[in-house]
């Protein structure tokens, strides 16, 4: 009895100091987490400001529009053109296939062997490193089809690389559409396909667009898959060609290539300018993805965001 | 006389009968027509339905086809080192004698390089990413999350060459002046660049892992009097472990496959690194540098394809690991 009575206050005292200690640790840990999160924003801000600081002086109308040269003073005009050219070509292949596969997986396929095989294939395709995909493109389009380095080969390689991401975007966008919409449409006598085309896709169009534009940004900056498929050169005589069967060095590859292999004297100027243009394009794609996504959602569903 | 009204009557009845018949037949024929129009439309939309399903299924089959052809083709091309050139597999994996001109394809240096830079990236970027994931899920007020999330998306969007360029112009000069490294290029530079590149992957996946935990876990922990930090370390971290494992594995997958950003800062010297700041090379950087100059059908080309096959096998193994980790969660 006596010992219990004497130990009770001391236990309370120790647990009080324990609480104080635990609260101190909690506050410290919370502070550290805040600092870590803030450092990510600082890191990004540093990158952006540094790239602007480096590249700002390189930017000029002449730099953006003229062709690269062996001597100093070359521009990046054809590279910017090729980046957009390959981007558009890639999207022409990627969007229909991945929309189709995504719609099939989300709306039609019943759980079973076929669906899990497709899902697993998409996941596997998503983890193939981009350089390995580039070598596969080299085997198929350059060696097997004997196309040489072509914009088309590069675009098809990028299609394989980005297909799984867009299938996933499609599936997630469709999954976000409430089932009540589908039930209402089927209840009015529409077939499944009519339901998908007139009810489900319009409701999902905002999310789909956001996903597609973000992936477009990734395609714009892709390099490793293009080195051995689209090549490292631009045509000297016809830099702005529409023909897909020609080698097409993109801006991202140009940034790597000027630094690592070529011998032009003003590597830093061209590199800094190219890096800044790439960064600005990525910012533009990100902002465009948000704006277009929310505008389309509002237009087609009347809901905001 | 009496016949007349009868006949009249009869004809009248007949008339009514004819009229009914006409109306009926008219109604019937119109009805048949609308019915046939409806059934025609139905048939058409059923046909559309069938076509749509088949086209969509075709797109899904294409995904299977693509990965199958890729695996078969790379397996065929990547094993030529061993089948055509008779170079032993164990030497490819464990020997560091790399001189493809003299039929020596020991790739141990590059395999080690890949493992070291990836290990560096995951040791630095992994805990950091998980911490920020916890922050986003448990600590961050809505306004902070609104700033942080777009920032993370932008970090994903920055192309890998731009990371390489940042490493080249910002990190390498820094390491050159502040460490023992004479050039600044090397393992540490590549590891730091990679750990920044895998951050977004680890952050968003670990945030998802924490968010998917039931609220009851947090309520139970709080009700027992624990602080938020005790709840995070004692309850949430163990419960989210399979999701966090997936986050780390996919971070590793991203780091292993990265080529150009690493190539720009690793120093590209085909020897084992003599320290954390020393230059070395990895599987991806060696492919980037040598593939362009390797003649088609040469031993060197075969060895490079074997390296690509090895990368593919590692990626596949990681995907299976992810599946395994998720199955553990039930």
């Amino acid at each position: 009895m006596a010992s219990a009575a004497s130990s009770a206050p001391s236990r309370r005292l120790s647990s009080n100091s324990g609480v104080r200690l635990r609260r101190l640790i909690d506050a410290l840990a919370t502070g550290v987490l805040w600092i870590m999160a803030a450092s990510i924003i600082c890191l990004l801000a540093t990158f952006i400001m540094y790239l602007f600081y480096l590249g700002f002086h390189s930017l000029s109308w002449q730099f953006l529009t003229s062709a690269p040269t062996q001597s100093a003073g070359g521009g990046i005009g054809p590279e910017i053109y090729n980046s957009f050219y390959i981007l558009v070509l890639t999207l022409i292949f990627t969007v229909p296939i991945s929309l189709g596969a995504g719609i099939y997986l989300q709306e039609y396929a019943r759980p079973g062997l076929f669906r899990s095989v497709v899902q697993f294939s998409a996941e596997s395709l998503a983890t193939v490193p981009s350089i390995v995909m580039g070598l596969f493109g080299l085997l198929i389009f350059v060696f097997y089809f004997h196309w040489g380095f072509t914009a088309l080969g590069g675009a098809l390689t990028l299609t394989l690389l980005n297909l799984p991401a867009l299938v996933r975007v499609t599936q997630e966008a469709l999954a976000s559409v409430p089932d009540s919409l589908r039930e209402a449409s089927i209840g009015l006598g529409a077939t499944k396909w009519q339901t998908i085309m007139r009810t489900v896709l319009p409701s999902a169009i905002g999310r789909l667009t956001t996903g597609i534009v973000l992936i477009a940004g990734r395609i714009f900056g892709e390099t490793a898959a293009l080195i051995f498929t689209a090549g490292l050169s631009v045509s000297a005589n016809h830099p702005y060609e529409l023909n897909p069967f020609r080698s097409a060095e993109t801006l991202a590859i140009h940034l790597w290539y000027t630094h690592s292999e070529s011998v032009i004297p003003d590597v830093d100027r061209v590199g800094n300018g190219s890096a800044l243009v790439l960064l600005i394009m990525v910012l533009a794609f990100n902002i465009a993805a948000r704006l277009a996504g929310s505008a389309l959602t509002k237009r087609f569903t009347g809901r905001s965001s | 006389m009496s016949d007349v009204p009868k006949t009249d009557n009869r004809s009248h009845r007949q008339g009514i009968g004819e009229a009914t018949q006409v109306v009926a037949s008219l109604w019937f024929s119109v009805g048949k027509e609308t019915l046939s129009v409806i059934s025609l439309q139905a048939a058409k939309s059923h046909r559309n339905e069938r076509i749509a399903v088949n086209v969509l299924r075709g797109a899904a089959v294409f995904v299977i086809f693509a990965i199958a052809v890729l695996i078969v083709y790379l397996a065929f091309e990547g094993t030529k080192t061993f089948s055509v050139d008779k170079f032993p597999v164990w030497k490819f994996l464990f020997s560091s004698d790399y001189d493809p001109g003299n039929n020596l394809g020991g790739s141990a240096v590059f395999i080690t390089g890949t493992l070291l830079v990836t290990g560096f990236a995951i040791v630095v970027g992994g805990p950091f990413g998980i911490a920020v994931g916890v922050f986003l899920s448990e600590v961050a007020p809505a306004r902070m999350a609104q700033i942080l999330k777009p920032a993370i998306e932008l970090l994903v969007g920055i192309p890998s060459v731009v990371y390489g360029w940042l490493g080249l112009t910002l990190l390498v000069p820094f390491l050159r002046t502040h460490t023992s490294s004479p050039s600044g290029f090397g393992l540490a530079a590549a590891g730091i660049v990679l750990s920044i590149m895998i951050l977004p992957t680890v952050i968003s996946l670990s945030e998802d892992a924490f968010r998917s935990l039931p609220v009851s876990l947090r309520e139970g922990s709080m009700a027992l009097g624990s602080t938020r930090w005790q709840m995070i370390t004692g309850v949430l971290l163990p419960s989210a472990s399979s999701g966090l494992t997936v986050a780390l594995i996919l971070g590793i997958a991203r780091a292993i496959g990265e080529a150009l950003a690493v190539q720009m800062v690793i120093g590209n010297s085909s020897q084992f690194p003599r320290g954390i700041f020393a230059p070395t090379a990895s599987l991806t950087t060696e492919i980037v540098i040598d593939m362009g100059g390797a003649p088609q059908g040469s031993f060197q080309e075969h060895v490079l394809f074997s390296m690509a096959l090895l990368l593919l096998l590692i990626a596949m193994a990681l995907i299976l690991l992810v599946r395994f980790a998720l199955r553990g969660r039930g």
Side-chain angles (χ1 to χ4, degrees), chain B residues 91-114:
Chain B
K91 266 195 173 175
F92 169 75
L93 291 174
F94 300 114
S95 158
S96 60
D97 295 328
Y98 185 72
D99 186 5
N102 292 319
N103 280 13
L104 286 174
S107 304
V109 169
F110 314 121
I111 296 171
T112 313
T114 290

Side-chain angles (χ1 to χ4, degrees), chain B residues 207-219:
Chain B
E207 188 203 349
D208 290 347
F210 285 111
R211 276 201 194 281
S212 68
L213 296 176
V215 184
S216 57
L217 277 183
R218 298 180 180 88
E219 288 169 347

Side-chain angles (χ1 to χ4, degrees), chain B residues 14-159:
Chain B
Q14 216 172 349
I16 290 178
E18 268 167 20
T20 339
Q21 213 172 351
V22 167
V23 169
S25 71
L26 209 82
W27 180 86
F28 187 67
S29 70
V30 169
K32 220 160 85 182
E33 209 137 281
T34 44
L35 270 181
S36 71
V37 166
I38 290 175
S39 68
L40 210 90
Q41 265 184 351
K44 204 174 144 199
S45 48
H46 272 286
R47 204 181 58 231
N48 286 347
E49 183 78 23
R50 268 206 312 278
I51 294 172
V53 174
N54 283 323
V55 169
L56 295 177
R57 191 178 291 138
V61 168
F62 178 81
V63 176
I64 305 177
F65 175 75
I67 187 72
V69 171
L70 185 139
I71 291 174
V72 169
Y73 238 83
L74 275 177
F76 180 69
E77 205 69 25
T79 49
K80 277 186 177 169
T81 311
F82 320 117
S83 64
V84 176
D85 304 313
K86 307 290 179 209
F87 191 75
V89 178
W90 66 269
K91 266 195 173 175
F92 169 75
L93 291 174
F94 300 114
S95 158
S96 60
D97 295 328
Y98 185 72
D99 186 5
N102 292 319
N103 280 13
L104 286 174
S107 304
V109 169
F110 314 121
I111 296 171
T112 313
T114 290
L115 294 180
L116 284 176
V117 288
T118 307
F120 191 114
I122 210 68
V123 165
V124 175
F128 201 103
I130 290 177
V132 179
V134 167
F135 176 81
L136 271 173
S137 162
E138 307 300 322
V139 181
R143 186 169 294 173
M144 182 65 179
Q146 269 172 10
I147 305 172
L148 200 53
K149 287 226 153 191
I152 293 166
E153 273 174 34
L154 267 182
L155 282 177
V156 178
I158 294 179

Side-chain angles (χ1 to χ4, degrees), chain B:
Chain B
M1 279 294 278
S2 65
D3 273 13
V4 178
K6 259 185 189 171
T7 44
D8 260 356
N9 207 359
R10 200 180 293 154
S11 73
H12 184 66
R13 269 197 206 134
Q14 216 172 349
I16 290 178
E18 268 167 20
T20 339
Q21 213 172 351
V22 167
V23 169
S25 71
L26 209 82
W27 180 86
F28 187 67
S29 70
V30 169
K32 220 160 85 182
E33 209 137 281
T34 44
L35 270 181
S36 71
V37 166
I38 290 175
S39 68
L40 210 90
Q41 265 184 351
K44 204 174 144 199
S45 48
H46 272 286
R47 204 181 58 231
N48 286 347
E49 183 78 23
R50 268 206 312 278
I51 294 172
V53 174
N54 283 323
V55 169
L56 295 177
R57 191 178 291 138
V61 168
F62 178 81
V63 176
I64 305 177
F65 175 75
I67 187 72
V69 171
L70 185 139
I71 291 174
V72 169
Y73 238 83
L74 275 177
F76 180 69
E77 205 69 25
T79 49
K80 277 186 177 169
T81 311
F82 320 117
S83 64
V84 176
D85 304 313
K86 307 290 179 209
F87 191 75
V89 178
W90 66 269
K91 266 195 173 175
F92 169 75
L93 291 174
F94 300 114
S95 158
S96 60
D97 295 328
Y98 185 72
D99 186 5
N102 292 319
N103 280 13
L104 286 174
S107 304
V109 169
F110 314 121
I111 296 171
T112 313
T114 290
L115 294 180
L116 284 176
V117 288
T118 307
F120 191 114
I122 210 68
V123 165
V124 175
F128 201 103
I130 290 177
V132 179
V134 167
F135 176 81
L136 271 173
S137 162
E138 307 300 322
V139 181
R143 186 169 294 173
M144 182 65 179
Q146 269 172 10
I147 305 172
L148 200 53
K149 287 226 153 191
I152 293 166
E153 273 174 34
L154 267 182
L155 282 177
V156 178
I158 294 179
S160 64
V161 263
V162 174
Y163 278 111
W165 188 255
L166 280 166
L168 204 64
T169 54
L170 200 59
L171 183 63
V172 167
F174 178 85
L175 289 176
R176 183 158 50 217
T177 47
H178 291 88
T179 66
S180 60
S181 166
S183 67
F185 293 98
L187 193 58
I192 293 170
V193 168
L194 273 184
S195 48
I196 294 171
M197 291 182 73
I198 66 168
L199 265 183
T201 310
V202 180
I203 291 174
S204 56
L205 286 172
S206 52
E207 188 203 349
D208 290 347
F210 285 111
R211 276 201 194 281
S212 68
L213 296 176
V215 184
S216 57
L217 277 183
R218 298 180 180 88
E219 288 169 347
S221 173
M222 286 295 193
L224 288 173
S226 67
T227 62
R228 182 163 63 194
W229 181 243
Q230 282 179 312
M231 174 189 79
I232 290 172
T233 51
V235 179
L236 299 187
L237 268 180
S239 316
S241 63
S242 66
L244 297 179
T245 314
V246 170
L248 291 180
I249 294 173
L250 290 179
I252 290 174
R254 168 119 210 242
I256 278 186
E258 183 48 52
L260 291 186
V262 177
Q263 189 268 335
M264 287 166 91
V265 296
I266 199 172
N268 299 309
S269 125
S270 44
Q271 55 183 350
F272 289 114
R274 298 218 175 80
I276 197 163
F277 296 110
T280 180
S282 77
L283 289 170
T284 53
T285 65
E286 194 57 27
I287 294 173
V288 168
I289 291 171
D290 280 357
M291 198 69 207
Q296 202 181 336
S298 66
F299 177 73
Q300 182 177 21
E301 193 210 28
H302 293 165
V303 173
L304 293 173
F305 272 112
S306 299
M307 294 185 196
L309 179 62
L310 183 62
L311 283 169
L312 183 69
L313 290 178
I314 296 174
M316 293 287 156
L318 291 175
I319 264 295
L320 288 176
L321 266 180
V322 167
R323 289 237 147 184
F324 188 71
L326 286 178
R327 185 172 298 166
R329 189 158 67 183

